[in-house]
Amino acid sequence: MGALQPIPFWTQSYEAESKVVTSERLVNWMLEKSAAGAKYPYALYPTPGLRLLCTVGDGPCRGLERIQNMLWVVSGTKLYRVDSSYAVTEIGEGGGVGDVRMAAGESAVLIATSGPFYAANDSGITELPLANIVGVAYQDGYGVGAKGGWQDFYVSDGLDATLVTGWVDFTTADAAGDALMGMASLHRTLWVFKQRTTELFVNTGAVAFPFERSQGGFLQVGCLAPKSIAIADNTLFWLGHDHQVYMANGYQPTPISPPAIAKLIEDQTSPQTAVAFVYALKGHTIYVLSFADLTMCFDLA
């Protein structure tokens, strides 16, 4: 009898168009590379389950954001605050439908819905005089909002994002003719994502408008899904207009999805509705990208 041959476990999910080439499927397991000299080069550990900590509102849960040690939650049409002991406080009534985009500063949280645009703090929730804001960010104390279908993005007046009269200053991301899709702030740089391009702005302290396009701040990669934009481990991730998932390497967009993954994304019915979030567990930081019937995870480790 010949010697028994070990059967290697899959280390990733990667199904090529030709299943003869590769048909790897790794589901609900986390890969961890072993230290040098270990008996096996890697180990597979099961992903954890869930534990109920509290129930917030009537749902559905449409967005989460943290300010210091407080978690702000949009559940149904209402905004709630959850403290470190998981006590829930209702802040106020909002609006819109579907998932929201949120960004937090020291004293307020911005909430962009499918329609109305809000700012909130412990005193309550305030509807702002803008609508169809598809991306929000905080940088240097300014609240920033990108208007969907346009090239304009706005900043709050001074450092108080809750002032209704304050959201009048704007500039235009017009290096190319495509419309805004989303926004994020990374390392004090505003990434303004558009349909097929991306423009980068920095705070120059200019009197007319504080943010100006940075040197070399124009990329020939856009964003397909505004809600795919997420920051993990000091790195920016998003779903590009070409169905590839990108990671920012400095100012350069670096694709992290090989062709088989890009094809999976192309085959989705509505890839533009993809939603991303980030979590950390036992030294692993995970970028999670979800579609209507597909969820994929990228482990930064």
Side-chain angles (χ1 to χ4, degrees):
M1 177 183 291
L4 296 177
Q5 296 295 319
I7 300 176
F9 287 106
W10 301 132
T11 60
Q12 61 181 347
S13 284
Y14 189 87
E15 293 183 279
E17 282 194 77
S18 171
K19 300 300 185 287
V20 176
V21 176
T22 182
S23 183
E24 297 182 57
R25 293 284 285 127
L26 185 66
V27 181
N28 289 340
W29 288 86
M30 192 158 52
L31 180 76
E32 191 163 288
K33 191 173 182 179
S34 302
K39 184 176 181 181
Y40 298 103
Y42 55 83
L44 290 173
Y45 294 103
T47 54
L50 302 175
R51 178 166 60 97
L52 179 64
L53 298 175
C54 64
T55 300
V56 182
D58 297 325
C61 182
R62 299 166 56 202
L64 305 170
E65 186 59 69
R66 186 180 68 179
I67 301 181
Q68 299 176 1
N69 64 339
M70 296 289 185
L71 183 66
W72 295 71
V73 182
V74 177
S75 177
T77 59
K78 294 182 178 180
L79 176 67
Y80 299 84
R81 188 190 65 213
V82 182
D83 65 22
S84 57
S85 62
Y86 306 111
V88 180
T89 302
E90 182 179 325
I91 299 298
E93 180 81 25
V97 296
D99 296 329
V100 300
R101 303 296 293 168
M102 302 173 70
E106 291 186 4
S107 59
V109 59
L110 297 175
I111 306 162
T113 76
S114 57
F117 181 40
Y118 299 97
N121 54 27
D122 289 339
S123 300
I125 182 169
T126 302
E127 184 171 352
L128 300 172
L130 294 172
N132 192 28
I133 297 298
V134 294
V136 289
Y138 256 100
Q139 185 171 313
D140 300 335
Y142 290 99
V144 191
K147 192 170 180 63
W150 296 64
Q151 295 182 330
D152 302 337
F153 67 91
Y154 293 74
V155 298
S156 59
D157 182 25
L159 303 180
D160 187 355
T162 65
L163 291 177
V164 174
T165 58
W167 289 81
V168 295
D169 290 338
F170 70 92
T171 193
T172 305
D174 58 358
D178 45 343
L180 295 177
M181 293 294 288
M183 173 177 287
S185 175
L186 178 68
H187 303 315
R188 298 189 67 237
T189 297
L190 279 178
W191 289 63
V192 182
F193 293 95
K194 300 169 67 178
Q195 292 168 321
R196 302 186 69 84
T197 61
T198 301
E199 300 184 33
L200 280 61
F201 288 76
V202 294
N203 183 1
T204 64
V207 176
F209 193 83
F211 296 98
E212 297 182 294
R213 191 177 293 107
S214 66
Q215 184 72 24
F218 180 78
L219 311 177
Q220 294 284 0
V221 173
C223 178
L224 179 65
K227 295 168 187 173
S228 69
I229 302 167
I231 295 175
D233 215 11
N234 288 314
T235 304
L236 188 59
F237 295 84
W238 73 97
L239 177 58
H241 74 277
D242 55 0
H243 298 95
Q244 293 191 86
V245 181
Y246 285 90
M247 175 177 70
N249 182 10
Y251 277 11
Q252 297 303 313
T254 302
I256 60 172
S257 52
I261 298 298
K263 184 179 184 305
L264 278 177
I265 295 173
E266 285 183 10
D267 290 343
Q268 296 304 299
T269 303
S270 301
Q272 70 274 11
T273 62
V275 177
F277 70 94
V278 174
Y279 73 94
L281 178 71
K282 298 179 180 179
H284 295 258
T285 300
I286 313 293
Y287 171 77
V288 182
L289 186 62
S290 291
F291 303 86
D293 56 359
L294 172 70
T295 293
M296 297 181 289
C297 303
F298 178 76
D299 187 345
L300 276 68

